[in-house]
Amino acid sequence: MPIRPPIFRSRFQPKPSPELRPSSTDRGYDSVWRRFRAAYLARHPLCCFADDPRHRHECELSASVVDHIKPLSQGGARLDESNVRSVCALAHQRLTQNLKTTGVNELPAVDLPLGFWA
């Protein structure tokens, strides 16, 4: 029977701690947000980037995440429909990564060859 190889971690890297990140309720995602999110996804079930050429080839079409256009950490309104958009999980991952690296909450530009989707 095969055995799992050992996992080597740097002894200098801090161990992950669940206490580092506040709970979802402490971050503003309480029952009011859950009701708002469910209602918004019912009205907007498709990913808003489904037809975006930067994302179309990998979009899952059905939205599962309600993303703040202007993040709460930058002073965005929490329960304002004009500050949220429905996105698929993959688009949300790309948006979050781009926000962390560039500070812009938009999909990164992707240089694809002409006629990629043709």
Side-chain angles (χ1 to χ4, degrees), residues 21-30 33-34 78:
R21 187 172 185 188
S23 71
S24 60
T25 303
D26 291 339
R27 289 179 288 144
Y29 300 106
D30 53 5
W33 167 257
R34 286 191 292 272
R78 185 171 81 107

Side-chain angles (χ1 to χ4, degrees), residues 43 68 71 101-102 110:
R43 286 191 305 276
H68 288 95
T101 56
T102 65
V110 178

Side-chain angles (χ1 to χ4, degrees), residues 14-68:
K15 293 183 179 179
S17 173
E19 292 85 30
L20 293 178
R21 187 172 185 188
S23 71
S24 60
T25 303
D26 291 339
R27 289 179 288 144
Y29 300 106
D30 53 5
S31 62
V32 175
W33 167 257
R34 286 191 292 272
R35 284 193 301 271
F36 175 81
R37 177 190 173 277
Y40 191 82
L41 285 175
R43 286 191 305 276
H44 305 280
L46 299 179
C47 178
C48 67
F49 296 112
D51 294 327
D52 192 312
R54 296 170 291 176
H55 185 63
R56 180 174 33 184
H57 65 288
E58 54 193 18
C59 186
E60 299 167 6
L61 289 181
S62 64
S64 58
V65 180
V66 175
D67 179 53
H68 288 95

Side-chain angles (χ1 to χ4, degrees), residues 21 93-105:
R21 187 172 185 188
Q93 288 174 354
R94 292 183 67 204
L95 286 165
T96 303
Q97 183 64 35
N98 195 44
L99 177 64
K100 287 179 180 178
T101 56
T102 65
V104 179
N105 196 21

